[in-house]
């Protein structure tokens, strides 16, 4: 056994965030012990006690110190503190690690598809994992609409296959989060949260979107203690409870359907009359309604979650108005406020595009923060306002937000970047000056 500290990870079966945690330690070459708490009440109680009452896996410990769940572990990794705790931090004076032709932000479906194409074009991409390695699709166990898999495929399996395919073609995957991109000169400076810096001739932003929360009372206190944004990760912890899913899109329908495996009854609170979800998912939910496993609360919004970290969620406060959007009509006599008993709450209310690291560049975003790209017909559809920075997947596409559309855009971005890099090489060898686009052009 080496001198490394003792790493212990409480896991669960079918827990994407547990896999992310073990993958992270694997990528660092760190040994660890795992304890699966599924169907093991003693281990579960032990985990809850050691994790100060938290009932969510994974829970990570280093030398008996509680690190926390995936979010906490990933946050420590971002700052480099995790490596310090593990005794593997490296000194790096100027921070510049190396120059790459192409850096890709994100290992979701868009980033990995871009990596496969860029690898095949000999652009040897460096692909940064971000705080959600594998992206959103790792949160689902059932991808039924990705072409080529008539029996469906699990999200983590699809992502792992893509990672393998990308590395086979020469892509390098790296844990870490991009803090900022500097486009004031060429090559771009890509700064990581842990202080490392890469220079790059081109960048593909495939950084996707993150789960939204409501900002209501009780949310911060109870996140991880009965409130979750990932039903597949945490649903099984609340077996036998009534559960509330908030949302009206595909993710809400899928999560509600999944939770019927564990819940006494699943309630869906949606602020409007009509769901936004595809007919396929709405039909599946209605089947469950017929079976008495799901109840739908239309024109209803969640305003407060009550409970404690010791005992979890106790009940919630909801408002209802049959004209829809009841929180916009709190003074309307038709708005009714009521308390409702549930043991767990799952948010499935959409996503915010991850673009903070591009804030100081000339890359334009729309009012909701989604990256703007050229679009249209012909080549260069994925280029942003900054020449050499391309965008792909959910960080650009606020409308389709599907794995297959993200993959399609990822391939386009890699092809556009390849053309850009070829032009750059030609200009370099002919001695022409390559104009950097000014940040605020
Ligand atoms: C529960 C759920 C179920 C779904 N089921 C389906 C389905 O069945 N079929 C389907 O087609 N679609 C499904 N989707 C939608 C699908 O997952 C997304 O459309 C797709 O994953 C988008 O891929 P992406 O690569 O654009 O972004 P994401 O998957 O969001 O990946 C973004 C990547 O960027 C990284 N990143 C973010 N910020 C930074 C940064 N600063 N530096 C470096 N990296 C960064 C993240 O860590 C992540 O790796 C589902 C989504 C959810 C949430």
């Amino acid at each position: 056994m080496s001198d490394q500290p003792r790493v212990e990870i409480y896991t669960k079966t079918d827990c994407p965030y547990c896999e992310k945690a073990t993958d992270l330690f694997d990528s660092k070459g760190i040994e660890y012990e795992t304890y699966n708490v599924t169907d093991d009440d003693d281990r579960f109680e032990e985990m809850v006690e050691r994790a100060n009452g938290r009932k969510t896996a994974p829970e990570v410990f280093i030398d008996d110190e509680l690190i926390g769940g995936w979010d906490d572990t990933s946050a420590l990794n971002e700052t480099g503190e995790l490596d310090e705790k593990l005794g593997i931090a490296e000194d790096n004076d100027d921070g510049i690690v190396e120059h790459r032709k192409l850096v890709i932000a994100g290992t979701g479906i868009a980033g990995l598809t871009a990596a496969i194409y860029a690898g095949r074009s000999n652009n040897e991409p460096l692909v940064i994992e971000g705080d959600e390695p594998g992206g959103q699709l790792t949160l689902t166990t059932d991808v039924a609409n990705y072409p080529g898999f008539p029996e469906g495929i699990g999200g983590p399996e699809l992502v792992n296959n893509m990672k393998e395919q990308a590395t086979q073609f020469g892509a390098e995957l790296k844990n870490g989060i991009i803090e900022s991109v500097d486009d004031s000169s060429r090559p771009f400076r890509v700064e990581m949260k842990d202080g490392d810096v890469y220079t790059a001739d081109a960048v593909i932003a495939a950084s996707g979107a993150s789960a939204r929360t409501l900002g209501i009372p009780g949310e911060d206190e109870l996140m991880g203690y009965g409130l979750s944004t990932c039903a597949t990760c945490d649903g099984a912890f609340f077996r036998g409870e009534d559960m509330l899913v908030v949302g009206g899109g595909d993710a809400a329908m899928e999560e509600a359907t999944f939770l019927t495996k564990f819940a006494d009854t699943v309630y869906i609170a949606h602020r409007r009359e009509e769901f936004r979800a595809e007919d396929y998912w709405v039909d599946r939910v209605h089947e469950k309604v017929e079976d008495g496993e799901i109840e739908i609360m239309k024109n209803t919004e969640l305003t407060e979650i009550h409970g404690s970290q010791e005992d979890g969620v106790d009940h919630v406060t909801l408002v209802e108005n049959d004209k829809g959007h009841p929180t916009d009509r709190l003074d309307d006599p038709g708005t009714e406020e009521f308390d409702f008993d549930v043991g767990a709450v799952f948010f499935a209310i959409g996503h915010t595009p991850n673009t903070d690291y591009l804030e100081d560049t000339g890359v334009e975003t729309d009012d909701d923060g989604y990256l703007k790209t050229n679009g249209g017909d012909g080549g260069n559809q994925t280029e942003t306002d900054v020449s050499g920075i391309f965008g792909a997947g959910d960080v650009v596409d606020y409308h389709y937000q599907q794995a297959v559309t993200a993959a399609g855009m990822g391939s386009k971005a890699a092809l556009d970047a390849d053309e850009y890099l070829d032009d750059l090489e030609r200009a370099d060898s002919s001695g022409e000056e390559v104009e950097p686009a000014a940040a605020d052009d």
Side-chain angles (χ1 to χ4, degrees):
M1 187 80 184
S2 65
D3 290 342
Q4 73 162 65
R6 181 174 185 208
V7 177
E8 299 166 280
I9 309 174
Y10 288 86
T11 65
K12 223 178 74 21
T13 307
D14 288 336
C15 163
Y17 288 113
C18 303
E19 278 184 37
K20 285 174 199 275
T22 52
D23 284 352
L24 177 63
F25 288 100
D26 284 340
S27 73
K28 293 177 184 292
I30 293 291
E31 292 172 27
Y32 51 81
E33 291 160 73
T34 53
Y35 313 127
N36 190 328
V37 301
T38 308
D39 301 327
D40 186 338
D41 291 346
D42 292 343
R43 275 288 187 204
F44 177 69
E45 290 306 323
E46 178 188 286
M47 177 188 87
V48 174
E49 194 184 330
R50 290 185 74 191
N52 300 331
R54 282 167 53 102
K55 292 183 176 174
T56 179
E59 291 297 340
V60 175
F61 293 81
I62 298 179
D63 272 348
D64 246 351
E65 179 193 351
L66 172 63
I67 301 300
W70 165 249
D71 283 351
D72 309 293
T73 309
S74 161
L76 271 194
N77 188 42
E78 281 167 31
T79 58
E81 283 172 77
L82 187 66
D83 286 358
E84 278 170 28
K85 284 184 188 294
L86 294 169
I88 55 170
E90 285 170 17
D91 284 341
N92 201 342
D93 289 346
D94 63 1
I96 294 190
V97 178
E98 62 176 327
H99 176 76
R100 304 294 291 227
K101 273 173 142 177
L102 177 62
V103 168
I104 299 175
T107 55
I109 297 296
L112 290 173
T113 307
I116 292 167
Y117 273 70
R120 277 173 61 87
S121 308
N122 292 329
N123 287 324
E124 296 165 354
L126 178 69
V127 197
I128 309 293
E129 296 256 24
D131 62 356
E132 203 174 328
Q136 296 167 62
L137 216 58
T138 57
L139 304 181
T140 180
T141 48
D142 175 22
V143 183
N145 55 5
Y146 199 84
F149 300 96
E151 308 296 327
I153 183 166
E157 193 185 347
L158 181 59
V159 164
N160 286 337
N161 289 347
M162 285 188 165
K163 284 187 175 180
E164 196 183 324
Q165 201 174 352
T167 46
Q168 268 171 17
F169 289 126
E172 183 187 346
L173 271 53
K174 189 168 171 48
N175 271 301
I177 297 185
I178 301 178
E179 168 82 18
S180 66
V181 174
D182 180 352
D183 66 342
S184 59
S185 60
R186 297 293 185 275
F188 298 106
R189 267 176 73 89
V190 178
E191 297 206 13
M192 307 288 292
K193 279 218 165 142
D194 66 4
D196 284 354
V197 177
Y198 295 89
T199 56
D201 295 323
V203 173
I204 294 177
S207 40
S210 298
R212 263 190 216 137
T213 52
L214 289 171
I216 55 173
E219 187 176 288
D220 288 345
E221 190 196 346
L222 293 170
M223 188 62 81
Y225 298 88
L227 170 63
S228 166
T229 56
C230 179
T232 47
C233 312
D234 297 333
F237 290 136
F238 305 99
R239 205 176 283 271
E241 302 271 9
D242 285 334
M243 304 185 189
L244 179 74
V245 173
V246 180
D250 285 350
M253 302 299 113
E254 185 183 354
E255 301 217 337
T257 309
F258 174 80
L259 289 171
T260 58
K261 289 188 200 181
F262 314 108
D264 185 0
T265 306
V266 177
Y267 296 87
I268 302 176
H270 178 46
R271 60 188 174 166
R272 295 191 298 121
E273 182 70 27
E274 302 297 331
F275 289 127
R276 266 182 305 108
E278 270 182 46
D279 289 347
Y280 168 81
W281 281 115
V282 176
D283 291 347
R284 283 189 70 177
V285 163
H286 280 129
E287 283 163 23
K288 297 284 182 187
V289 171
E290 298 281 306
D291 296 345
E293 293 175 83
I294 294 183
E295 283 188 30
I296 298 170
M297 300 163 131
K298 289 187 173 169
N299 302 313
T300 301
E301 280 178 282
L302 176 65
T303 53
E304 187 163 356
I305 309 168
H306 307 268
S308 65
Q309 295 191 348
E310 294 70 42
D311 301 321
V313 171
D314 178 67
H315 67 283
V316 294
T317 304
L318 298 158
V319 285
E320 192 265 337
N321 184 312
D322 56 18
K323 294 182 204 139
H325 294 272
T327 53
D328 293 344
R329 304 173 196 277
L330 289 177
D331 296 333
D332 184 320
T335 301
E336 187 201 346
E337 181 181 276
F338 58 101
D339 283 347
F340 195 76
D341 286 347
V342 286
V345 178
F346 294 87
F347 285 165
I349 49 173
H351 292 84
T352 304
N354 302 314
T355 56
D356 288 359
Y357 62 103
L358 295 170
E359 232 161 47
D360 295 332
T361 67
V363 172
E364 296 271 330
T365 58
D366 69 11
D367 291 345
D368 295 319
Y370 286 91
L371 295 189
K372 285 189 183 172
T373 52
N374 288 337
D377 300 326
N380 226 16
Q381 290 176 24
T382 64
E383 194 167 57
T384 64
D385 291 277
V386 175
S387 183
I389 301 185
F390 304 85
D394 283 13
V395 71
V396 177
D397 169 20
Y398 57 86
H399 182 73
Y400 294 105
Q401 297 205 323
Q402 289 294 294
V404 70
T405 50
M409 287 176 85
S411 69
K412 287 184 187 181
L415 293 170
D416 290 344
D418 185 49
E419 222 165 283
Y420 172 85
L421 289 167
D422 278 352
D423 287 349
L424 201 65
E425 217 169 282
R426 263 196 301 277
D428 273 355
S429 54
S430 68
E432 282 173 40
E433 189 131 333
V434 182
E435 287 278 314
D440 51 1
D441 254 4

